[in-house]
Amino acid sequence: ETGVTQTPRHLVMGMTNKKSLKCEQHLGHNAMYWYKQSAKKPLELMFVYSLEERVENNSVPSRFSPECPNSSHLFLHLHTLQPEDSALYLCASSQDSTNEKLFFGSGTQLSVL
Amino acid sequence: AQTVTQSQPEMSVQEAETVTLSCTYDTSESNYYLFWYKQPPSRQMILVIRQEAYKQQNATENRFSVNFQKAAKSFSLKISDSQLGDTAMYFCAFRDFYGGSQGNLIFGKGTKLSVKP
């Protein structure tokens, strides 16, 4: 059983849709992350939040908009995506943003048509 | 910039046998962390083992052990007594000790391991 829960598990959306990915951690951690996992490419860090403040944004296009309302919840709002944005989006958490032990969720498999 | 290379896209092993997955990395740092993560079909990334670069002793977790060669920048994973549940993608990852880009694990492209009965 994972301490990091992601919903939905699968998502299919058109390029003009707006959708949101949700992540919830039950570990009492203070840092949360979004990673993108594309086929045949290494995982890419997208965003880092520490105590609900964004501390890292790795040049991610503005069509991806993160939100961290509290230390347990993290959202990724999606709008006007491109087919190349199709990927597995993984959420992770850690005790704090300097702690190297990350705990991952099972991801949302996103398909953009 | 740090890079992580996994040269074996796919491997297979018979149940109960031993298999070694390779990983090399490039960095100018002297202190850092190295990890092996497992991603089974459930897709959840699970930390298998972690090595601190300033520790010469190789990390061990039950059937999983590493061969850390700092000078060669090599970090291989050995799985002993392979089990069907070990079937998964395995990712090698690097993190700067001081967390320059906080939380930024640098991942390799992964090795798909199949354990055959």
Side-chain angles (χ1 to χ4, degrees):
Chain A
E1 183 178 334
T2 176
V4 180
T5 304
Q6 289 187 245
T7 55
R9 188 166 174 79
H10 301 274
L11 179 63
V12 179
M13 59 186 291
M15 290 191 285
T16 58
N17 291 158
K18 291 184 180 181
K19 297 287 184 182
S20 296
L21 310 185
K22 179 182 176 182
C23 176
E24 183 175 1
Q25 57 95 2
H26 313 277
L27 301 169
H29 289 168
N30 292 316
M32 297 186 77
Y33 311 81
W34 280 116
Y35 279 86
K36 177 182 179 182
Q37 185 178 16
S38 305
K40 298 184 180 179
K41 289 178 66 176
L43 272 77
E44 303 169 69
L45 178 66
M46 300 176 72
F47 300 104
V48 180
Y49 275 84
S50 177
L51 295 172
E52 302 143 48
E53 289 191 16
R54 189 190 308 180
V55 297
E56 184 80 18
N57 174 359
N58 275 2
S59 302
V60 179
S62 60
R63 57 186 183 270
F64 295 91
S65 176
E67 179 189 2
C68 188
N70 55 63
S71 60
S72 299
H73 293 86
L74 184 65
F75 296 88
L76 188 62
H77 304 299
L78 316 171
H79 62 97
T80 59
L81 293 191
Q82 304 299 312
E84 60 263 30
D85 297 323
S86 298
L88 180 67
Y89 289 85
L90 289 163
C91 175
S93 70
S94 64
Q95 187 64 48
D96 57 58
S97 61
T98 62
N99 191 292
E100 77 286 359
K101 290 186 181 178
L102 267 61
F103 295 79
F104 285 84
S106 297
T108 294
Q109 185 66 55
L110 174 67
S111 297
V112 181
L113 305 179
Chain B
Q2 294 96 348
T3 59
V4 177
T5 302
Q6 293 179 250
S7 59
Q8 304 150 315
E10 291 192 43
M11 294 189 71
S12 64
V13 63
Q14 291 296 129
E15 195 175 8
E17 294 188 347
T18 296
V19 63
T20 298
L21 308 183
S22 301
C23 173
T24 57
Y25 58 95
D26 189 26
T27 183
S28 59
E29 302 293 330
S30 58
N31 289 325
Y32 46 86
Y33 295 102
L34 294 164
F35 308 84
W36 279 98
Y37 277 89
K38 167 185 177 181
Q39 188 178 38
S42 67
R43 305 185 321 210
Q44 184 195 4
M45 297 280 277
I46 302 166
L47 179 63
V48 174
I49 200 164
R50 163 181 167 272
Q51 176 81 40
E52 297 164 0
Y54 58 87
K55 290 186 177 179
Q56 293 190 346
Q57 186 173 5
N58 289 324
T60 299
E61 289 287 343
N62 300 313
R63 298 182 295 107
F64 299 87
S65 62
V66 298
N67 184 2
F68 174 47
Q69 301 290 326
K70 191 172 184 179
K73 297 180 182 176
S74 171
F75 184 61
S76 61
L77 175 69
K78 186 173 81 171
I79 306 175
S80 304
D81 186 26
S82 297
Q83 300 176 1
L84 297 178
D86 296 332
T87 293
M89 284 290 291
Y90 286 82
F91 293 92
C92 180
F94 168 99
R95 184 186 185 273
D96 180 86
F97 186 80
Y98 297 102
S101 291
Q102 295 173 350
N104 197 5
L105 292 174
I106 310 297
F107 285 87
K109 291 185 177 181
T111 296
K112 183 178 181 180
L113 177 67
S114 299
V115 179
K116 300 183 184 304

